[in-house]
């Protein structure tokens, strides 16, 4: 994953490519959470880093169910990969093709990104920065939780729209999530074993259409969830 779905970390692709060159290896990258929010015209994290055409990146997977607002996916790679998948990938061979309206939706989403992605990314980066700055100055990381010392609470070290607060313990994270849901916030509890025990977290996705006031209200709600 170029942008890890649970932590929001962005893959160090340049460093990984160096390792691939040293050991004659290849990368298959998944841009599910990178497309739209990174890169020129929303082309993804590989484009953001300028490594789209490095030969060590054997294949790139772009899914259409996140920023693109549709469904389906595409695999980009060399002709040998294309021929192999067409002839041997059973899920592809025995699946029904996407309907025309889905293809039109995907096409129009890309056209929209060509015109608006760069501007919207700038606003999204500002919102992420606002969230992180406000979080560090708030008391949201000072919740008193059963069996979870205050010093264990932390925020995800993420520069992407995938943010979160680590709240150890399934019961603790569910309690906070339920409190937020009653106030109208759709912030999901991520429990173990989906993530390692002790790293349960409230997963927060910041969108272009969110406002700074909404971010302030969310963090206020977390502060008051004890």
């Amino acid at each position: 994953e170029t942008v890890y779905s649970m932590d929001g970390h962005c893959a160090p692709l340049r460093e990984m490519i160096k390792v691939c060159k040293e050991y004659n290896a290849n990368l298959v990258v998944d841009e599910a959470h990178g497309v739209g929010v990174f890169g020129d015209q929303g082309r993804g994290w590989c484009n953001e880093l300028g490594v789209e055409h490095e030969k060590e990146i054997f294949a790139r997977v772009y899914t259409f169910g996140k920023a693109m607002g549709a469904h389906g996916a595409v695999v980009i790679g060399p002709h040998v990969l294309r021929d192999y998948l067409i002839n041997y990938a059973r899920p592809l061979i025995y699946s029904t093709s996407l309907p025309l309206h889905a293809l039109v939706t995907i096409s129009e989403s890309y056209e929209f990104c060509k015109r608006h992605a760069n501007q919207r990314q700038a606003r999204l980066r500002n919102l992420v920065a606002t969230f992180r700055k406000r979080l560090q100055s708030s008391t949201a990381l000072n919740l008193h939780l059963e069996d979870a010392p205050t010093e264990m609470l932390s925020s995800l070290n993420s520069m992407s729209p995938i943010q979160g607060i680590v709240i150890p313990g399934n019961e603790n994270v569910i309690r906070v999530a339920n409190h937020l849901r009653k106030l109208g916030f759709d912030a999901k509890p991520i429990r173990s074993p989906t993530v390692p025990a002790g790293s349960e977290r409230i997963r927060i996705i910041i969108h272009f259409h969110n406002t700074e006031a909404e971010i302030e209200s969310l963090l206020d709600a977390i502060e008051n969830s004890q």
Side-chain angles (χ1 to χ4, degrees):
E1 287 183 281
T2 56
V3 181
Y4 184 42
S5 59
M6 285 295 107
D7 289 341
H9 298 161
C10 296
L13 291 179
R14 293 193 183 105
E15 292 78 5
M16 296 172 76
I17 288 171
K18 290 180 181 178
V19 174
C20 288
K21 289 180 178 179
E22 182 177 354
Y23 293 97
N24 192 30
N26 290 298
L27 286 171
V28 176
V29 299
D30 180 356
E31 287 272 24
H33 295 278
V35 67
V37 298
F38 288 110
D40 184 43
Q41 299 180 346
R43 296 175 184 270
W45 185 240
C46 289
N47 177 271
E48 182 87 14
L49 296 182
V51 299
E52 276 180 306
H53 304 296
E54 293 285 344
K55 64 182 181 63
E56 286 75 21
I57 298 182
F58 179 68
R60 289 172 281 143
V61 180
Y62 293 89
T63 64
F64 308 130
K66 303 296 189 298
M68 308 310 288
H71 67 279
V74 65
V75 179
I76 295 178
H79 286 294
V80 63
L81 174 62
R82 176 182 180 275
D83 291 342
Y84 180 85
L85 292 176
I86 289 174
N87 287 281
Y88 293 100
R90 294 174 64 89
L92 173 64
I93 295 170
Y94 297 108
S95 293
T96 302
S97 297
L98 287 173
L100 179 59
H101 68 80
L103 299 176
V104 172
T105 300
I106 294 166
S107 177
E108 288 302 308
S109 293
Y110 272 99
E111 289 301 317
F112 184 88
C113 282
K114 288 179 182 179
R115 299 190 300 271
H116 303 291
N118 292 355
Q119 177 186 5
R120 291 192 165 215
Q121 285 176 15
R123 171 174 167 75
L124 192 56
R125 285 192 296 269
N126 288 336
L127 289 172
V128 171
T130 296
F131 173 86
R132 295 195 59 77
K133 181 179 180 180
R134 170 70 167 78
L135 179 62
Q136 296 307 316
S137 64
S138 76
T139 60
L141 299 182
N142 298 324
L143 298 179
H144 175 71
L145 303 172
E146 292 185 14
D147 302 320
T150 297
E151 61 268 24
M152 292 181 63
L153 302 186
S154 62
S155 62
L156 299 180
N157 183 22
S158 166
M159 61 176 284
S160 78
I162 300 173
Q163 298 290 320
I165 299 176
V166 177
I167 302 177
N170 282 345
E171 292 185 4
N172 287 324
V173 76
I174 290 173
R175 177 174 62 80
V176 174
N178 287 340
H179 170 76
L180 295 177
R181 184 165 53 250
K182 291 177 182 177
L183 297 176
F185 296 104
D186 187 21
K188 301 296 186 182
I190 306 299
R191 298 164 290 177
S192 62
T194 301
V195 294
S199 67
E200 297 83 2
R201 76 279 310 265
I202 293 292
R203 186 170 183 262
I204 299 165
I205 309 298
I206 298 175
H207 298 83
F208 165 82
H209 57 73
N210 290 135
T211 65
E212 292 189 5
E214 288 173 335
I215 290 174
E216 294 284 345
S217 296
L218 170 63
L219 290 171
D220 286 343
I222 294 174
E223 289 178 357
N224 296 321
S225 63
Q226 299 191 55

